[in-house]
Amino acid sequence: QVQLLESGGGWVQAGGSLRLSCTASGSVFGIAIMAWYRQAPGKQRELVASITTDEITDYADSVKGRFTISRDDAKNTVSLQMNSLKPGDTAVYCCNAMVRTTILQIYENHWGQGAQVTVSS
């Protein structure tokens, strides 16, 4: 029983900033790779950013230099700092994580329910 809950979404004017956070709760024994995805109406879901246990990061070309992903393993949390937001960033943002849910070294893929981010011009 693991839940991923996002927070920090909202409405921002172009050029503004938002910080999304996602916290895993429940039977969490450990977390491997964590990531943020987004999906806008009429578009495919895309990977925005990811971060490994070694804190190696990867970003979509469209957000490089503007977004920063980070993790806090002590709090089972992954965050996404979004700066210089553009209308094209408007989407539902979902966090994803590979979570160890038992004492066994087995990881399961879990998703948050999503946070709406709206950027107006």
Side-chain angles (χ1 to χ4, degrees), residues 3 29 41 44 52-53 73 83 85 97 99 102 105 107 111-113 115 119:
Q3 292 181 324
F29 283 70
Q44 296 181 349
T52 69
T53 55
D73 289 334
N83 298 326
L85 284 163
V99 182
T102 73
Q105 289 287 351
Y107 290 81
W111 290 87
Q113 292 188 325
V119 184

Side-chain angles (χ1 to χ4, degrees), residues 39-62:
Q39 186 169 26
K43 295 184 178 181
Q44 296 181 349
R45 185 175 64 187
E46 65 174 337
L47 176 65
V48 178
S50 64
I51 183 168
T52 69
T53 55
D54 295 325
E55 298 192 28
I56 298 174
T57 59
D58 186 45
Y59 297 92
D61 289 339
S62 60

Side-chain angles (χ1 to χ4, degrees), residues 59-118:
Y59 297 92
D61 289 339
S62 60
V63 306
K64 287 182 178 178
R66 300 188 297 118
F67 290 10
T68 302
I69 188 171
S70 61
R71 63 189 292 161
D72 186 341
D73 289 334
K75 299 180 179 180
N76 294 326
T77 297
V78 61
S79 298
L80 185 68
Q81 179 67 44
M82 303 182 292
N83 298 326
S84 301
L85 284 163
K86 305 175 181 179
D89 295 320
T90 296
V92 174
Y93 287 71
C94 295
C95 65
N96 173 262
M98 295 296 294
V99 182
R100 180 187 175 190
T101 61
T102 73
I103 193 172
L104 301 177
Q105 289 287 351
I106 300 175
Y107 290 81
E108 299 177 346
N109 195 347
H110 288 268
W111 290 87
Q113 292 188 325
Q116 177 68 49
V117 172
T118 302

